[in-house]
Amino acid sequence: MATLTSVNVGLPKDVAWRGATVRTGIWKRPVTGPVTARRLNLDGDGQGDLAGHGGEQRAVLVYQLDSYRHWQQYMKRDDFVPGQFGENFTVDGLADDEVCIGDRYRIGDAVFEVTQPRVTCYRVGLRLGEPQMAALLVSHHRPGFYMRVLTEGRVRAGDEIAKIASGPEAMTVAQTDALLYLPGHPRPELERALRVPALSPGWQTSFRALLADADGGSQAGGSQARSGNSGLTNTAPPPAWPGFRPQEIVGIEPESASIFSLTLASADREPLPAALPGQYLGIRMRPDPQGPPVIRNYSLSGRPGAQTYRISVKQEPHGVASTYLHQHMKVGDIIDVAAPRGTFLLKNADTPVLLLSAGIGATPVLAMLQALAAQPSPRPIWWLHAARDGENHPFAEEVRTLLARLPAGRSFVSYSTPRDTDRPGVDYTFAGRFDLGRISGLKPPQDADAYICGPDAFMTDMTEALKACGLSASRIHTEIFGAVSAVNPGVVTGPAPAPHQPARVPGGRPGPSVSFARTGLTTPWHPEYGTLLELAEACDVPVRWSCRTGVCHTCETALVTGGVDYSPDPVEPPAQGSALICCSTPTADVVLDL
């Protein structure tokens, strides 16, 4: 019979790390005497990052003495103490390749159920002083596992662990972990995992996403092969070509007082590869002939599948790129264009669709409306758009024409400051702004998929309003035009400085150039920076990461052009046309969509 050899708890504390401060509860210490296991954790225990740790499904973390012995031999160390791996229960027995999701155990007065493998992040490596530990736990099939508390009660070191029920499907912790993180996601195994009721909701969501890929993709317009791991991050078909290709401007049209559209055709007049509704193009231009190129992303606003691409651009008062395109480019000019990319994609489904936008944010959802009207789709489709007034209302007539083709199309347009000539009930639905009251009054269908694009505040407000109306977060999709919001789990942050050149430039000959496209920053590479992620951090470019060693794919970034080498190799490669910046270095000039 397995035995509980140590009960370990610890409250979050601040730890210095790489010039930053991390709030973490990874430092667990053994407890003498009994401890009460409660629904959310053990008495005296806490988590520093509740987004990634803790909660009912992750109340108690378990790790095994056998794995301790494995790592002591592998790492040639003898300094491990109970709680070293951040676990609450150090146990003798309960191996990851024997314990199954859904197994139930009685320990002391409490009853527990196994819910998921440990989700590895950088903090276990921080505690152990081994940066690659997150990847090692996965590749060595020794993650440990979480349990939820079915019956609260007291536990103590020395308690026997009695198995009282077996999980359905007999799917072990090690098998479940490998199914998500390692290459190969067989459909039968995904279906098997999803038949285990005890599997935590987050892991169920990941496996459903992988299953959708196994079924042939979920984008409108038909299935296309995808690489990468959709269980960990949104994926899309690989770009139709690497880097940039010349395309000719064959049309320029005004759409509103501040928005104009460019129609692009292949320079050799061959039909362009079909784009998916919601994707964007990267445009490279050189407003200053003596300066570095400027790269900007613009959503496709035309009909998906057309032989040309249409992008729509807002003329910003001091926008370098928009001013150059508006004042200097003309029909017949050639411009460098990267292939359509992006994961803000319209799903193939039969559920209602909500398309919400403000200002120039109409562009990607307009492409979705184009795709739905081309069928035409019988789905309930709502168009909700916010504009200042009729002069600043882009695509108004085009949208009316498209909605007229849809048997269940509805339109709601708000003008924040309508002009006297703007017609209520014709040009716009109501004066004012979309807010919780307006959205809830419309009674949007709770089973709808919502696609939102516009200023950050608009997307935040609409997301919260739709959640308040009963839509689940998994059905609400947003598209960000500018720099992505940072994800630095556990790091205590203050006001973010503006991106800049690295404060310290290493000596020696510089390497390839690294361009952060959304940030508008280009800097030479030096090996002393470590990884592309660490270079981005040195430049205060907003980045997203968790494991920092090629496991979680949180840092996966579109690689517009160039190539990278990996060290260590990721446990599963990223999608084609993307890079895991946490463990990669450039082999040539690179452009990253950051």
Side-chain angles (χ1 to χ4, degrees), residues 15 42 107 187 342 350 355 360 506-507 592:
V15 179
L42 305 180
I107 308 174
R187 178 190 176 94
D350 56 6
L355 304 174
I360 189 62
L592 297 169

Side-chain angles (χ1 to χ4, degrees), residues 52-53 58 116-121 143 146 177 180-181 203 546 552:
H53 302 279
R58 298 173 295 202
Q116 65 172 69
R118 175 211 302 259
V119 175
T120 54
C121 73
Y146 281 105
D177 195 61
L180 177 60
Y181 287 114
W203 281 69
S546 181
C552 70

Side-chain angles (χ1 to χ4, degrees), residues 483 495-505 514-516 518-524 529 532-543 594:
H500 53 80
Q501 293 291 333
R504 186 183 68 83
V505 178
V514 178
S515 296
F516 301 106
R518 294 184 182 231
T519 309
L521 182 68
T522 298
T523 191
Y529 289 130
L532 286 166
L533 171 60
E534 290 169 323
L535 172 60
E537 290 174 328
C539 298
D540 283 312
V541 172
V543 286
L594 278 176

Side-chain angles (χ1 to χ4, degrees), residues 12 16 42 46 65 99 137 237 288 472 479 514 580:
L42 305 180
L65 285 178
V99 170
L137 290 170
D288 179 359
S472 69
E479 175 70 319
V514 178
L580 297 180

